[in-house]
Amino acid sequence: MILIQRRKKILELLRDNGSVSVSALSELFSVSEETIRRDLQKMEEEGLLKRAYGGAFLGDVVRQDVPISIRRNTYREGKCRIGRVCAEMINNGDTIMLDSSSTALRIASEIKGKSNLIVITNSLDILVEVANSPEIHVISTGGDLDNASLSFTGMTAIENLAKFNVDKAFVSCTGVSLREGITDSSEMQAYIRKRMLESAQKRIFIADRTKFGKITLTKIADLSGVDVVVTDQPLPDEWVSAFSGLGVQMRYPEPGAEAEQEEDNE
């Protein structure tokens, strides 16, 4: 298959599935993984997709949700920074909710040394991450396991979340805009995140810089529906003005703070 045909097929796969992996494309086209990486790099330069560790996804996903296997390695440094800032906001003895986002997974990895915590989550990855932490009591929402996001969804998850009142909820999204507020590409994940915010005394919105200025499928909350915004770098003036006008606090990493360096096990 010639180069142009291969890249056309990659775009078709992205439109159908929302994401692709380097290894799968290499096998499909019978070319090296390095060749696929060069294809994806060129297509990203042309604005056709966004690359991630191990694959790529559509830059403006609206109806498809990117699998957690790709999301957890996308914009990793920014998510590590957010995780550290959020961990500083969590006190020993707190009861918190963490959603199934890859950013929330970074928070989970940063709080394992804290004591007397209760963590309520619909994320299978987070359950595993804190499972061996003796000072953390973990509660799963239960529900239907979604294989792509490795999270529990459905009415069981939503109804179980309604039973709890927590100190803090940490909730992400796939898009946030000045006009439409905080949105998600998955209708079910949006319902779960909305329920988490409703259960919390302090509602904390976590998002790296790539989420701002995007509108996706289902609304989670208005900008006024959160108390704190944590992101990986200072926001443009229009965002600062909007959040300040609503009384929403903004938190960023300290200037010069280094993200934790991790080895990839994949």
Side-chain angles (χ1 to χ4, degrees), residues 86-98:
C86 291
E88 293 172 358
M89 301 171 64
I90 298 170
N91 303 314
N92 293 334
D94 273 351
T95 298
I96 66 171
M97 285 182 177
L98 298 176

Side-chain angles (χ1 to χ4, degrees), residues 60-62 174-177 179-181 183 211 213-217:
D60 294 308
V61 176
V62 174
T174 55
V176 53
S177 79
R179 179 166 59 90
E180 295 296 332
T183 57
K211 307 293 179 61
K214 292 184 178 179
I215 300 172
T216 51
L217 182 64

Side-chain angles (χ1 to χ4, degrees), residues 190-207:
Y191 289 150
I192 288 173
R193 287 166 170 154
K194 180 178 181 181
R195 180 65 258 181
M196 286 183 170
L197 292 175
E198 291 171 348
S199 299
Q201 292 186 33
K202 179 167 283 190
R203 304 160 297 175
I204 302 162
F205 172 52
I206 53 175

